[in-house]
Coordinates of all heavy atoms in Angstrom, one line a residue:
M1047 N -17.0 -16.7 -24.9 CA -17.7 -16.2 -23.8 C -17.8 -17.3 -22.7 O -18.1 -18.4 -23.0 CB -19.1 -15.7 -24.2 CG -19.6 -14.6 -23.4 SD -21.2 -14.1 -23.9 CE -20.9 -12.5 -24.5
N1048 N -17.6 -16.9 -21.5 CA -17.6 -17.9 -20.4 C -19.1 -18.2 -20.1 O -20.0 -17.4 -20.3 CB -17.0 -17.3 -19.1 CG -15.5 -17.1 -19.3 OD1 -14.9 -17.8 -20.1 ND2 -14.9 -16.2 -18.6
E1049 N -19.3 -19.3 -19.4 CA -20.6 -19.7 -19.0 C -21.1 -18.8 -17.9 O -22.4 -18.6 -17.9 CB -20.6 -21.2 -18.5 CG -20.3 -22.2 -19.6 CD -20.2 -23.6 -19.0 OE1 -20.7 -23.8 -17.9 OE2 -19.7 -24.4 -19.8
I1050 N -20.3 -18.2 -17.1 CA -20.7 -17.4 -16.1 C -21.3 -16.1 -16.6 O -22.2 -15.5 -16.0 CB -19.5 -17.0 -15.1 CG1 -20.0 -16.4 -13.8 CG2 -18.5 -16.1 -15.7 CD1 -20.7 -17.3 -12.9
D1051 N -20.9 -15.7 -17.8 CA -21.5 -14.5 -18.5 C -22.9 -14.7 -18.9 O -23.6 -13.7 -19.1 CB -20.6 -14.1 -19.7 CG -19.2 -13.7 -19.3 OD1 -19.1 -13.2 -18.2 OD2 -18.3 -13.8 -20.2
Q1052 N -23.3 -15.9 -19.0 CA -24.7 -16.2 -19.4 C -25.7 -16.4 -18.3 O -26.9 -16.6 -18.5 CB -24.7 -17.5 -20.3 CG -23.8 -17.5 -21.5 CD -24.2 -16.3 -22.4 OE1 -25.3 -16.1 -22.7 NE2 -23.2 -15.7 -23.0
V1053 N -25.2 -16.3 -17.1 CA -26.0 -16.5 -15.9 C -26.9 -15.3 -15.6 O -26.5 -14.2 -15.6 CB -25.2 -16.8 -14.6 CG1 -26.0 -16.9 -13.4 CG2 -24.4 -18.1 -14.8
T1054 N -28.2 -15.6 -15.4 CA -29.1 -14.5 -15.0 C -29.8 -15.0 -13.7 O -30.1 -16.2 -13.5 CB -30.2 -14.2 -16.0 OG1 -30.9 -15.4 -16.4 CG2 -29.5 -13.6 -17.3
L1055 N -30.1 -14.1 -12.8 CA -30.8 -14.4 -11.6 C -32.2 -13.9 -11.7 O -32.4 -12.7 -12.0 CB -30.1 -13.7 -10.4 CG -28.6 -14.1 -10.1 CD1 -28.0 -13.3 -9.0 CD2 -28.6 -15.6 -9.8
N1056 N -33.1 -14.7 -11.5 CA -34.5 -14.4 -11.5 C -35.2 -14.7 -10.2 O -35.3 -15.9 -9.8 CB -35.3 -15.1 -12.6 CG -34.8 -14.7 -14.0 OD1 -34.6 -13.6 -14.3 ND2 -34.5 -15.7 -14.8
F1057 N -35.5 -13.7 -9.4 CA -36.1 -13.9 -8.1 C -37.6 -13.7 -8.2 O -38.1 -12.8 -8.7 CB -35.6 -12.9 -7.1 CG -34.1 -13.1 -6.8 CD1 -33.2 -12.2 -7.2 CD2 -33.7 -14.2 -6.0 CE1 -31.8 -12.4 -7.0 CE2 -32.4 -14.4 -5.7 CZ -31.4 -13.5 -6.2
S1058 N -38.3 -14.7 -7.7 CA -39.8 -14.6 -7.7 C -40.2 -13.8 -6.5 O -39.4 -13.6 -5.6 CB -40.4 -16.0 -7.6 OG -40.1 -16.6 -6.4
P1059 N -41.4 -13.3 -6.5 CA -41.8 -12.5 -5.3 C -41.7 -13.3 -4.0 O -41.4 -12.8 -2.9 CB -43.3 -12.2 -5.6 CG -43.3 -12.1 -7.1 CD -42.4 -13.2 -7.5
E1060 N -42.0 -14.6 -4.1 CA -41.9 -15.5 -2.9 C -40.5 -15.6 -2.4 O -40.2 -15.5 -1.2 CB -42.5 -16.9 -3.2 CG -43.9 -16.9 -3.5 CD -44.2 -16.6 -4.9 OE1 -43.4 -16.7 -5.8 OE2 -45.4 -16.2 -5.2
S1061 N -39.5 -15.8 -3.3 CA -38.1 -15.9 -2.9 C -37.6 -14.6 -2.4 O -36.8 -14.5 -1.5 CB -37.3 -16.4 -4.0 OG -37.2 -15.6 -5.1
L1062 N -38.0 -13.5 -3.0 CA -37.6 -12.1 -2.4 C -38.2 -11.9 -1.0 O -37.5 -11.3 -0.2 CB -38.2 -11.0 -3.4 CG -37.3 -10.8 -4.6 CD1 -38.0 -9.7 -5.5 CD2 -35.9 -10.4 -4.3
F1063 N -39.4 -12.4 -0.8 CA -39.9 -12.3 0.6 C -39.0 -13.1 1.6 O -38.7 -12.6 2.7 CB -41.4 -12.8 0.7 CG -41.9 -12.8 2.0 CD1 -42.3 -11.6 2.6 CD2 -42.0 -14.0 2.8 CE1 -42.8 -11.6 3.9 CE2 -42.5 -14.0 4.0 CZ -42.9 -12.8 4.6
V1064 N -38.6 -14.3 1.2 CA -37.8 -15.1 2.1 C -36.4 -14.4 2.3 O -35.9 -14.4 3.4 CB -37.6 -16.5 1.5 CG1 -36.6 -17.3 2.3 CG2 -39.0 -17.2 1.5
L1065 N -35.8 -13.9 1.2 CA -34.6 -13.2 1.3 C -34.7 -12.0 2.2 O -33.8 -11.8 3.1 CB -34.1 -12.7 -0.1 CG -33.5 -13.8 -1.0 CD1 -33.3 -13.2 -2.4 CD2 -32.1 -14.3 -0.4
N1066 N -35.7 -11.2 2.1 CA -35.9 -10.0 2.9 C -36.1 -10.4 4.4 O -35.6 -9.7 5.3 CB -37.1 -9.2 2.4 CG -36.7 -8.4 1.1 OD1 -35.6 -8.1 0.8 ND2 -37.8 -8.1 0.3
L1067 N -36.9 -11.4 4.6 CA -37.2 -11.9 5.9 C -35.9 -12.4 6.6 O -35.6 -12.1 7.7 CB -38.2 -13.0 5.9 CG -38.7 -13.5 7.3 CD1 -39.4 -12.5 8.1 CD2 -39.6 -14.7 7.1
S1068 N -35.1 -13.1 5.8 CA -33.8 -13.6 6.3 C -32.9 -12.5 6.7 O -32.2 -12.5 7.8 CB -33.1 -14.5 5.3 OG -33.9 -15.6 5.0
L1069 N -32.8 -11.5 5.8 CA -31.9 -10.4 6.1 C -32.4 -9.6 7.3 O -31.6 -9.2 8.1 CB -31.9 -9.4 4.9 CG -31.0 -8.2 5.0 CD1 -29.6 -8.6 5.2 CD2 -31.1 -7.4 3.7
G1070 N -33.7 -9.4 7.5 CA -34.3 -8.8 8.6 C -33.9 -9.5 9.9 O -33.6 -8.9 10.9
I1071 N -34.0 -10.8 9.9 CA -33.7 -11.6 11.1 C -32.2 -11.5 11.4 O -31.9 -11.3 12.6 CB -34.1 -13.1 10.9 CG1 -35.7 -13.2 10.9 CG2 -33.5 -14.0 12.0 CD1 -36.2 -14.5 10.5
I1072 N -31.4 -11.5 10.4 CA -29.9 -11.4 10.7 C -29.6 -10.0 11.2 O -28.9 -9.9 12.2 CB -29.2 -11.7 9.4 CG1 -29.3 -13.1 9.0 CG2 -27.7 -11.3 9.5 CD1 -28.8 -13.4 7.6
M1073 N -30.2 -9.0 10.7 CA -29.9 -7.6 11.1 C -30.4 -7.4 12.6 O -29.8 -6.8 13.4 CB -30.5 -6.6 10.2 CG -29.8 -6.5 8.9 SD -30.7 -5.4 7.7 CE -30.4 -3.8 8.5
F1074 N -31.6 -8.0 12.9 CA -32.1 -7.9 14.2 C -31.2 -8.7 15.2 O -31.0 -8.2 16.3 CB -33.5 -8.6 14.3 CG -34.2 -8.5 15.6 CD1 -34.6 -7.3 16.1 CD2 -34.3 -9.7 16.4 CE1 -35.2 -7.3 17.4 CE2 -34.9 -9.6 17.6 CZ -35.3 -8.4 18.1
G1075 N -30.7 -9.8 14.8 CA -29.8 -10.6 15.6 C -28.5 -9.8 16.0 O -28.0 -9.8 17.1
V1076 N -28.0 -9.0 15.0 CA -26.8 -8.2 15.2 C -27.2 -7.0 16.1 O -26.4 -6.7 17.1 CB -26.2 -7.7 13.9 CG1 -25.2 -6.7 14.1 CG2 -25.7 -8.9 13.1
A1077 N -28.3 -6.4 15.8 CA -28.7 -5.2 16.6 C -29.1 -5.5 18.0 O -28.9 -4.7 18.9 CB -29.8 -4.5 15.9
I1078 N -29.5 -6.7 18.3 CA -30.0 -7.0 19.6 C -28.8 -7.1 20.6 O -29.0 -6.9 21.8 CB -30.8 -8.4 19.7 CG1 -31.7 -8.4 20.9 CG2 -29.9 -9.6 19.7 CD1 -32.9 -9.2 20.6
N1079 N -27.6 -7.2 20.1 CA -26.4 -7.2 21.0 C -25.9 -5.8 21.3 O -25.1 -5.7 22.2 CB -25.3 -8.0 20.3 CG -25.5 -9.5 20.3 OD1 -26.2 -10.0 21.2 ND2 -25.0 -10.2 19.3
L1080 N -26.5 -4.8 20.7 CA -26.1 -3.4 21.0 C -26.7 -3.0 22.3 O -27.8 -3.3 22.7 CB -26.5 -2.5 19.9 CG -25.8 -2.6 18.6 CD1 -26.4 -1.7 17.5 CD2 -24.3 -2.3 18.7
K1081 N -25.9 -2.2 23.0 CA -26.3 -1.7 24.3 C -26.1 -0.2 24.3 O -25.4 0.4 23.5 CB -25.5 -2.3 25.5 CG -25.7 -3.8 25.6 CD -24.8 -4.4 26.7 CE -25.0 -5.8 26.9 NZ -25.1 -6.7 25.7
V1082 N -26.8 0.5 25.2 CA -26.6 2.0 25.3 C -25.2 2.4 25.5 O -24.7 3.4 24.9 CB -27.5 2.5 26.4 CG1 -27.3 4.0 26.6 CG2 -29.0 2.2 26.2
E1083 N -24.4 1.6 26.2 CA -23.0 1.9 26.5 C -22.2 1.9 25.1 O -21.2 2.7 25.0 CB -22.4 0.9 27.4 CG -22.9 0.9 28.8 CD -24.2 0.1 29.0 OE1 -24.5 -0.8 28.1 OE2 -25.0 0.4 29.9
D1084 N -22.6 1.1 24.2 CA -22.0 1.1 22.9 C -22.1 2.5 22.2 O -21.1 3.0 21.6 CB -22.5 0.0 22.0 CG -22.3 -1.4 22.6 OD1 -21.3 -1.6 23.3 OD2 -23.1 -2.3 22.3
F1085 N -23.3 3.0 22.2 CA -23.5 4.3 21.6 C -22.8 5.4 22.4 O -22.3 6.4 21.8 CB -25.0 4.6 21.5 CG -25.7 3.7 20.6 CD1 -26.4 2.6 21.1 CD2 -25.7 3.9 19.2 CE1 -27.1 1.7 20.2 CE2 -26.3 3.0 18.3 CZ -27.0 2.0 18.8
I1086 N -22.8 5.4 23.7 CA -22.1 6.3 24.5 C -20.6 6.3 24.2 O -20.0 7.4 24.1 CB -22.4 6.1 26.0 CG1 -23.8 6.4 26.3 CG2 -21.4 6.9 26.9 CD1 -24.3 5.9 27.7
R1087 N -20.0 5.1 24.1 CA -18.6 5.0 23.7 C -18.3 5.6 22.4 O -17.3 6.3 22.2 CB -18.2 3.5 23.7 CG -16.7 3.3 23.6 CD -16.3 1.9 23.8 NE -17.0 1.0 22.9 CZ -17.8 0.0 23.3 NH1 -18.0 -0.2 24.6 NH2 -18.4 -0.8 22.5
V1088 N -19.2 5.5 21.4 CA -19.0 6.1 20.1 C -19.0 7.6 20.2 O -18.2 8.3 19.5 CB -20.0 5.6 19.1 CG1 -20.0 6.4 17.8 CG2 -19.8 4.1 18.7
F1089 N -19.9 8.2 21.0 CA -20.0 9.6 21.1 C -18.8 10.2 21.9 O -18.4 11.3 21.7 CB -21.3 10.0 21.7 CG -22.5 9.9 20.8 CD1 -23.5 9.0 21.1 CD2 -22.6 10.6 19.6 CE1 -24.6 8.9 20.2 CE2 -23.6 10.5 18.8 CZ -24.6 9.6 19.1
K1090 N -18.3 9.4 22.8 CA -17.2 9.9 23.6 C -15.9 9.9 22.8 O -15.0 10.7 22.9 CB -17.0 9.1 24.9 CG -18.0 9.4 26.0 CD -17.7 8.7 27.2 CE -18.7 9.1 28.3 NZ -18.5 8.3 29.5
T1091 N -15.7 8.8 22.0 CA -14.5 8.7 21.2 C -14.9 8.4 19.7 O -14.9 7.2 19.3 CB -13.6 7.6 21.7 OG1 -14.3 6.4 21.8 CG2 -13.0 7.9 23.1
P1092 N -15.3 9.4 19.0 CA -15.8 9.2 17.7 C -14.8 8.9 16.6 O -15.2 8.7 15.4 CB -16.6 10.5 17.4 CG -15.8 11.5 18.1 CD -15.4 10.8 19.4
K1093 N -13.5 9.0 16.9 CA -12.5 8.8 15.9 C -12.6 7.5 15.1 O -12.5 7.5 13.9 CB -11.1 8.9 16.5 CG -10.0 9.0 15.5 CD -8.6 8.9 16.1 CE -8.3 10.1 17.0 NZ -6.8 10.1 17.4
S1094 N -12.8 6.4 15.8 CA -12.8 5.1 15.1 C -14.1 5.0 14.3 O -14.1 4.4 13.2 CB -12.8 4.0 16.1 OG -13.8 4.1 17.0
A1095 N -15.2 5.6 14.7 CA -16.5 5.6 13.9 C -16.3 6.4 12.7 O -16.7 5.9 11.6 CB -17.6 6.1 14.8
F1096 N -15.7 7.6 12.8 CA -15.4 8.4 11.6 C -14.4 7.7 10.6 O -14.6 7.7 9.4 CB -14.9 9.7 12.0 CG -15.9 10.7 12.5 CD1 -15.8 11.3 13.7 CD2 -17.1 10.9 11.8 CE1 -16.8 12.2 14.2 CE2 -18.1 11.7 12.3 CZ -17.9 12.4 13.5
A1097 N -13.4 7.0 11.2 CA -12.5 6.3 10.3 C -13.2 5.2 9.6 O -13.0 5.0 8.4 CB -11.4 5.7 11.2
G1098 N -14.2 4.5 10.2 CA -14.9 3.4 9.5 C -15.8 4.0 8.5 O -15.9 3.5 7.4
I1099 N -16.5 5.2 8.7 CA -17.4 5.8 7.7 C -16.6 6.3 6.6 O -16.9 6.1 5.4 CB -18.2 6.9 8.4 CG1 -19.2 6.3 9.4 CG2 -18.9 7.8 7.4 CD1 -19.9 7.4 10.3
I1100 N -15.4 6.9 6.8 CA -14.6 7.4 5.7 C -14.1 6.2 4.9 O -14.1 6.3 3.7 CB -13.4 8.2 6.3 CG1 -13.9 9.5 7.0 CG2 -12.4 8.6 5.2 CD1 -14.6 10.5 6.1
S1101 N -13.7 5.2 5.6 CA -13.2 4.0 4.8 C -14.3 3.4 3.9 O -14.0 3.0 2.8 CB -12.7 2.9 5.8 OG -11.6 3.4 6.5
Q1102 N -15.5 3.3 4.5 CA -16.6 2.7 3.8 C -17.0 3.5 2.6 O -17.3 2.9 1.5 CB -17.8 2.5 4.7 CG -19.0 1.9 4.1 CD -18.8 0.4 3.8 OE1 -18.1 -0.3 4.6 NE2 -19.4 -0.1 2.8
F1103 N -17.1 4.8 2.7 CA -17.7 5.6 1.6 C -16.7 6.4 0.8 O -17.0 6.9 -0.3 CB -18.6 6.6 2.3 CG -19.9 6.0 2.8 CD1 -20.0 5.9 4.2 CD2 -20.8 5.4 2.0 CE1 -21.1 5.3 4.7 CE2 -21.9 4.8 2.5 CZ -22.1 4.7 3.9
I1104 N -15.4 6.4 1.2 CA -14.4 7.1 0.3 C -13.2 6.2 -0.1 O -12.9 6.1 -1.2 CB -13.9 8.4 1.1 CG1 -15.0 9.4 1.2 CG2 -12.7 9.0 0.3 CD1 -14.7 10.6 2.0
V1105 N -12.6 5.6 0.9 CA -11.4 4.8 0.6 C -11.7 3.6 -0.2 O -11.1 3.3 -1.2 CB -10.7 4.4 1.9 CG1 -9.5 3.5 1.6 CG2 -10.2 5.6 2.7
L1106 N -12.8 2.8 0.2 CA -13.1 1.6 -0.5 C -13.6 1.8 -2.0 O -13.1 1.2 -2.9 CB -14.2 0.8 0.3 CG -14.6 -0.5 -0.3 CD1 -13.4 -1.5 -0.4 CD2 -15.7 -1.2 0.5
P1107 N -14.4 2.8 -2.2 CA -14.8 3.1 -3.6 C -13.6 3.6 -4.4 O -13.4 3.2 -5.6 CB -15.9 4.2 -3.5 CG -16.5 4.0 -2.2 CD -15.3 3.5 -1.3
A1108 N -12.7 4.4 -3.8 CA -11.5 4.9 -4.5 C -10.6 3.8 -4.9 O -10.1 3.7 -6.0 CB -10.8 6.0 -3.7
L1109 N -10.4 2.9 -3.9 CA -9.5 1.7 -4.1 C -10.1 0.8 -5.2 O -9.4 0.3 -6.1 CB -9.3 0.9 -2.8 CG -8.4 -0.3 -2.9 CD1 -7.0 0.1 -3.3 CD2 -8.4 -1.0 -1.6
T1110 N -11.4 0.6 -5.2 CA -12.1 -0.2 -6.2 C -11.9 0.5 -7.6 O -11.6 -0.2 -8.6 CB -13.6 -0.4 -5.9 OG1 -13.7 -1.0 -4.6 CG2 -14.3 -1.2 -6.9
F1111 N -12.1 1.8 -7.7 CA -12.0 2.5 -8.9 C -10.5 2.3 -9.5 O -10.4 2.0 -10.7 CB -12.3 4.0 -8.7 CG -12.1 4.8 -10.0 CD1 -13.0 4.7 -11.0 CD2 -10.9 5.6 -10.1 CE1 -12.7 5.5 -12.2 CE2 -10.7 6.3 -11.2 CZ -11.6 6.3 -12.3
L1112 N -9.5 2.5 -8.6 CA -8.2 2.3 -9.0 C -7.9 0.9 -9.5 O -7.2 0.7 -10.5 CB -7.2 2.7 -7.9 CG -7.1 4.2 -7.6 CD1 -6.3 4.4 -6.4 CD2 -6.5 4.9 -8.8
L1113 N -8.4 -0.1 -8.8 CA -8.1 -1.5 -9.2 C -8.8 -1.8 -10.6 O -8.2 -2.4 -11.4 CB -8.6 -2.4 -8.2 CG -7.7 -2.5 -6.9 CD1 -8.4 -3.4 -5.9 CD2 -6.4 -3.1 -7.3
I1114 N -10.0 -1.3 -10.8 CA -10.7 -1.5 -12.0 C -9.9 -0.8 -13.2 O -9.8 -1.3 -14.3 CB -12.1 -1.0 -11.9 CG1 -12.9 -1.8 -11.0 CG2 -12.8 -0.9 -13.3 CD1 -13.1 -3.3 -11.4
W1115 N -9.4 0.4 -12.9 CA -8.7 1.2 -13.8 C -7.4 0.5 -14.2 O -7.0 0.5 -15.4 CB -8.4 2.6 -13.3 CG -7.9 3.6 -14.2 CD1 -8.3 3.8 -15.5 CD2 -6.9 4.6 -14.0 NE1 -7.6 4.8 -16.1 CE2 -6.8 5.3 -15.2 CE3 -6.2 4.9 -12.9 CZ2 -5.9 6.4 -15.3 CZ3 -5.3 6.0 -13.0 CH2 -5.2 6.7 -14.1
I1116 N -6.7 -0.1 -13.2 CA -5.5 -0.8 -13.5 C -5.7 -2.1 -14.2 O -5.0 -2.5 -15.2 CB -4.7 -1.0 -12.2 CG1 -4.2 0.4 -11.7 CG2 -3.5 -1.9 -12.4 CD1 -3.7 0.4 -10.3
I1117 N -6.6 -2.9 -13.7 CA -6.8 -4.3 -14.2 C -7.6 -4.3 -15.5 O -7.3 -5.2 -16.3 CB -7.5 -5.2 -13.1 CG1 -6.6 -5.3 -11.9 CG2 -7.9 -6.5 -13.6 CD1 -7.3 -5.9 -10.7
E1118 N -8.5 -3.4 -15.7 CA -9.3 -3.3 -16.8 C -10.0 -4.7 -17.1 O -9.8 -5.3 -18.2 CB -8.5 -2.9 -18.1 CG -8.0 -1.5 -18.0 CD -7.2 -1.1 -19.2 OE1 -7.2 -1.8 -20.2 OE2 -6.6 0.0 -19.1
P1119 N -10.9 -5.1 -16.2 CA -11.6 -6.4 -16.5 C -12.6 -6.3 -17.6 O -13.1 -5.2 -17.9 CB -12.3 -6.7 -15.1 CG -12.5 -5.4 -14.5 CD -11.3 -4.5 -15.0
R1120 N -13.0 -7.4 -18.2 CA -14.0 -7.4 -19.2 C -15.4 -7.1 -18.5 O -15.6 -7.6 -17.4 CB -14.1 -8.7 -19.9 CG -12.9 -9.1 -20.7 CD -13.1 -10.4 -21.5 NE -13.8 -11.4 -20.6 CZ -14.7 -12.2 -21.1 NH1 -15.0 -12.2 -22.4 NH2 -15.2 -13.1 -20.3
P1121 N -16.3 -6.4 -19.2 CA -17.6 -6.2 -18.6 C -18.4 -7.5 -18.6 O -18.1 -8.4 -19.3 CB -18.3 -5.2 -19.6 CG -17.3 -4.8 -20.6 CD -16.1 -5.7 -20.4

């Protein structure tokens, strides 16, 4: 058995707070660059947004499933 198989992650409530706070700040930083024009552009030409959503929720999981099925990695 590899050493990596023995690794466990234990987050304390304090470290979870710091992780959540960091993620919130990063997400706010990304969202602050959005403008109303960005949303208008998505509504006018939704093809690329739909392609991204389809890729994220259908293509990527299907591809992952196929790769796992082909490679058969150890649990």
Side-chain angles (χ1 to χ4, degrees):
M1047 209 181 245
N1048 292 335
E1049 291 177 17
I1050 193 74
D1051 294 333
Q1052 303 301 320
V1053 173
T1054 57
L1055 298 174
N1056 295 315
F1057 294 108
S1058 68
E1060 295 83 21
S1061 64
L1062 281 177
F1063 176 75
V1064 171
L1065 282 171
N1066 288 334
L1067 184 64
S1068 301
L1069 182 60
I1071 291 170
I1072 291 168
M1073 290 175 69
F1074 180 73
V1076 170
I1078 203 149
N1079 287 329
L1080 290 174
K1081 296 177 179 47
V1082 174
E1083 294 84 24
D1084 297 328
F1085 293 100
I1086 293 171
R1087 188 173 54 240
V1088 168
F1089 286 118
K1090 284 185 178 178
T1091 56
K1093 190 189 295 188
S1094 60
F1096 283 129
I1099 290 170
I1100 296 295
S1101 297
Q1102 180 73 31
F1103 292 107
I1104 295 174
V1105 176
L1106 184 60
L1109 182 62
T1110 303
F1111 176 78
L1112 286 174
L1113 285 173
I1114 294 297
W1115 192 40
I1116 292 168
I1117 297 172
E1118 297 179 6
R1120 291 183 324 140

